[in-house]
Amino acid sequence: MSLQMPEVQQAMQGMEKLKEDQSWVTPQLMAALQSRPDLLKSLSDPKIQEAMKLMQTAPGEAQRRYQDNAEVTQFLKDFSALMATHFDVLSKEAPGAKPQAGYAKMPAPPAPPKQPVAQSRAQPAVQALPTDDPKVAAAFQDPEVQELLAELYAGKPLEMHELCQQRPNLFHKVKILLDSGLLALQR
């Protein structure tokens, strides 16, 4: 029972609202998921689906049953980090939200160029995503980058000069994401 907290159980009951209101399923979330084929594959795995359902209804049982299952544990860590990042970004984009210093933030997609109505009907515009670039996709999928992103969204400040000196390979990958517009630094 120590794992069942009333406020969490109450929030879980609010999950039905999330199923009805799909406004949180944004193009950015879909792009992030598409850049992680391992997560997409795991989402269709019956064992992962069962673990997620059990976590909603009986978290203690889920912990007992899956504590030694590396595949389920890794999926839950990765998926939770991705969703936490997504909802954090959404909360900062909400009207009246104030961005916090030290956080990297995924920028809002640029507004599509205005085209005459006749032209837009003839040629539907297909906008390329930053993750269409193989270098960007590889950098974004890198486990070291994902770990750094989770730390940033948890509030850890990023010191680029220290990153460059101490972890040049990771710095290079972060720079690729910055250059592509997937990350932005705030002061």
Side-chain angles (χ1 to χ4, degrees):
M1 283 310 230
S2 65
L3 294 176
Q4 289 189 342
M5 295 176 261
E7 55 273 3
V8 173
Q9 294 301 315
Q10 184 179 6
M12 295 300 280
Q13 292 172 354
M15 293 295 286
E16 289 302 315
K17 291 181 184 177
L18 282 179
K19 290 178 183 175
E20 294 170 12
D21 175 15
Q22 296 289 306
S23 64
W24 59 274
V25 182
T26 64
Q28 291 90 350
L29 174 61
M30 298 311 293
L33 281 171
Q34 288 174 354
S35 73
R36 295 289 309 268
D38 58 322
L39 291 181
L40 288 175
K41 181 181 176 192
S42 294
L43 283 169
S44 63
D45 182 336
K47 181 176 22 176
I48 299 290
Q49 292 174 356
E50 178 185 336
M52 290 178 67
K53 285 180 185 175
L54 192 57
M55 292 219 25
Q56 292 175 0
T57 58
E61 174 63 18
Q63 181 184 26
R64 185 192 64 72
R65 189 179 298 177
Y66 297 105
Q67 68 185 354
D68 296 325
N69 188 316
E71 180 186 3
V72 171
T73 302
Q74 189 60 49
F75 167 78
L76 290 173
K77 286 180 183 177
D78 293 345
F79 186 71
S80 297
L82 184 136
M83 295 307 291
T85 300
H86 173 67
F87 283 114
D88 188 51
V89 169
L90 281 182
S91 72
K92 287 174 179 47
E93 291 175 351
K98 296 179 183 177
Q100 298 177 9
Y103 281 71
K105 180 180 177 184
M106 186 187 264
K114 294 185 179 182
Q115 298 178 355
V117 175
Q119 185 181 10
S120 65
R121 284 187 191 144
Q123 298 176 340
V126 176
Q127 186 177 16
L129 297 172
T131 53
D132 290 343
D133 180 340
K135 287 182 183 178
V136 174
F140 190 71
Q141 292 177 9
D142 184 89
E144 199 175 23
V145 170
Q146 288 294 316
E147 182 180 329
L148 177 65
L149 292 175
E151 290 172 0
L152 291 172
Y153 280 105
K156 181 180 178 183
L158 174 64
E159 298 294 337
M160 290 296 284
H161 65 281
E162 287 178 13
L163 185 65
C164 180
Q165 292 172 350
Q166 296 171 0
R167 298 167 77 182
N169 289 336
L170 180 57
F171 173 81
H172 178 71
K173 294 170 189 169
V174 169
K175 184 164 180 349
I176 290 171
L177 297 177
L178 288 167
D179 292 344
S180 73
L182 279 178
L183 289 180
L185 296 178
Q186 296 179 350
R187 297 179 191 247

